[in-house]
Amino acid sequence: IFLVWFYVLPWPRHIRDSERPLIAGYHFATDCGDTRMSFFCIFGKLIADLISGRPLRQIDDVCRAFVPQIAQSELVGTLMRILWQTVLNLIGQCEDVNRLVGEGWNELEIALEESPHSPYVKNHFKAFKSYLYLFNGEHKRSVDLAMERQDQFLEDNPGSALGLIDLISRGMPLFDAAQRTKKKRYINASNKIRKTCKTWLQNGNGVGSVVHHGMLFDAEKAILEGKVEDAKGLYKRGIAFASRAGFVQDAALLHERYATFLLSRKINSEEARYHLERAIIFYQEWGAQSRVQFIKQRVSAQL
């Protein structure tokens, strides 16, 4: 059940379709005495929750209930704690929103990781860190990590549902860097990710979960090419798709990027305010309070 609903079916279907089967897999594995696999099913279900935009507080609650039990299982226990700390950082329950240090996990442990699973754990740690940077707006750190990681996670974990957010985690900051610096290495890297996303969708992969990522990449590409009207239309299409499909965090990100575009081109400050306010609403629904506070401060300062 875990392999099918975490490594296979999330790609041609909406990621939310995996949630109930993975819960069923947890109960089935528990009844069979396969504790390790039951824990992997819970981990997979929480990854599906995170990707699909379920409230972060709900994920936090489940982590609090299961981490004490799962901690006994070395590999999945570590992955679960990294996931939990990522959620806590997004919520704002930490001292430094960009360092995975807190109640759930301490990223300093990664330097001490010497088990046979070390490369696997470090690979996931970097994937979660990229996702954290994406929603904390830490584009400089995110760009450096994206250039370091390249396609490593996708190559080392083929089919993993977590791969559904790998392109957006790396691609968005790279497009931002390409627009700001016009450096060829960032332009090439961002275009490569956009091309990969298009290939996925053409082959029927990610059609339920990354269509709006493709629209965002197309909008960012249009900005690079000076196609203002195309960019505006693509942002709006991406926002509509993400909102309808329930990806509240991605809808927030799209609203925020569209507002940034409008402000940078001095096109329409009132429309930019509207999209920043919509981003706040979606981030609040998701539970990313640290991002909410950042945008509120931005609205006060810029508008």
Side-chain angles (χ1 to χ4, degrees):
I1 293 175
F2 173 73
L3 293 177
V4 170
W5 287 100
F6 190 76
Y7 282 94
V8 181
L9 292 182
W11 292 87
R13 304 175 64 154
H14 193 300
I15 184 61
R16 199 164 283 179
D17 291 345
S18 292
E19 294 174 358
R20 288 188 178 182
L22 287 168
I23 292 174
Y26 162 75
H27 290 296
F28 180 77
T30 300
D31 291 342
C32 293
D34 191 343
T35 304
R36 183 172 180 274
M37 187 51 64
S38 70
F39 290 160
F40 267 110
C41 285
I42 287 297
F43 174 72
K45 195 269 183 188
L46 291 176
I47 291 296
D49 286 345
L50 181 66
I51 296 172
S52 66
R54 295 292 189 191
L56 295 170
R57 288 289 182 186
Q58 289 184 13
I59 302 175
D60 175 31
D61 289 342
V62 177
C63 286
R64 289 181 185 279
F66 279 95
V67 163
Q69 306 171 46
I70 297 179
Q72 301 172 9
S73 181
E74 183 179 0
L75 175 57
V76 70
T78 301
L79 296 179
M80 180 74 106
R81 289 191 297 121
I82 297 174
L83 165 62
W84 185 21
Q85 190 58 52
T86 301
V87 170
L88 290 174
N89 278 47
L90 289 168
I91 291 173
Q93 288 186 207
C94 56
E95 292 187 5
D96 183 344
V97 294
N98 294 307
R99 296 181 69 240
L100 292 175
V101 177
E103 183 180 1
W105 191 65
N106 188 330
E107 67 179 44
L108 296 178
E109 293 181 24
I110 205 73
L112 304 175
E113 179 69 39
E114 296 180 351
S115 74
H117 305 300
S118 294
Y120 188 80
V121 170
K122 291 177 180 178
N123 209 343
H124 279 71
F125 161 65
K126 291 179 181 180
F128 281 119
K129 201 71 182 283
S130 286
Y131 195 64
L132 177 65
Y133 285 158
L134 172 67
F135 287 104
N136 283 342
E138 276 291 331
H139 293 320
K140 175 61 171 68
R141 296 180 184 180
S142 190
V143 166
D144 292 343
L145 187 54
M147 295 299 288
E148 173 194 335
R149 292 176 57 221
Q150 298 292 324
D151 290 331
Q152 184 180 358
F153 184 87
L154 298 175
E155 292 170 355
D156 292 351
N157 304 274
S160 169
L162 191 58
L164 289 166
I165 55 175
D166 189 69
L167 294 186
I168 190 68
S169 297
R170 293 183 293 124
M172 186 60 262
L174 285 169
F175 267 112
D176 182 77
Q179 292 165 16
R180 286 187 292 102
T181 68
K182 303 298 188 292
K183 290 184 177 179
K184 191 171 182 180
R185 61 175 180 151
Y186 296 141
I187 294 173
N188 290 341
S190 57
N191 282 335
K192 178 183 176 184
I193 288 176
R194 175 175 172 267
K195 183 178 179 180
T196 298
C197 186
K198 283 189 170 297
T199 300
W200 281 6
L201 293 172
Q202 289 169 359
N203 293 334
N205 293 317
V207 291
S209 303
V210 301
V211 170
H212 54 294
H213 295 172
M215 294 174 185
L216 176 56
F217 292 151
D218 287 347
E220 301 291 334
K221 172 73 169 176
I223 293 173
L224 272 174
E225 297 175 346
K227 299 176 181 178
V228 173
E229 293 304 315
D230 287 353
K232 291 168 69 174
L234 287 161
Y235 276 127
K236 290 176 181 178
R237 286 175 57 200
I239 288 168
F241 184 94
S243 302
R244 287 197 306 268
F247 297 101
V248 294
Q249 78 281 33
D250 294 336
L253 180 64
L254 277 150
H255 275 294
E256 188 177 358
R257 287 301 298 175
Y258 188 23
T260 298
F261 161 65
L262 293 172
L263 289 171
S264 67
R265 298 301 178 98
K266 298 180 180 180
I267 296 174
N268 188 328
S269 61
E270 285 304 310
E271 187 177 4
R273 174 187 286 274
Y274 165 79
H275 285 287
L276 286 175
E277 290 174 347
R278 293 298 297 171
I280 289 172
I281 290 172
F282 279 112
Y283 278 131
Q284 284 178 327
E285 184 178 344
W286 193 35
Q289 293 305 316
S290 59
R291 197 63 187 164
V292 168
Q293 294 306 314
F294 175 85
I295 298 177
K296 284 183 176 180
Q297 292 172 3
R298 182 182 178 188
V299 171
S300 299
Q302 293 184 298
L303 299 171

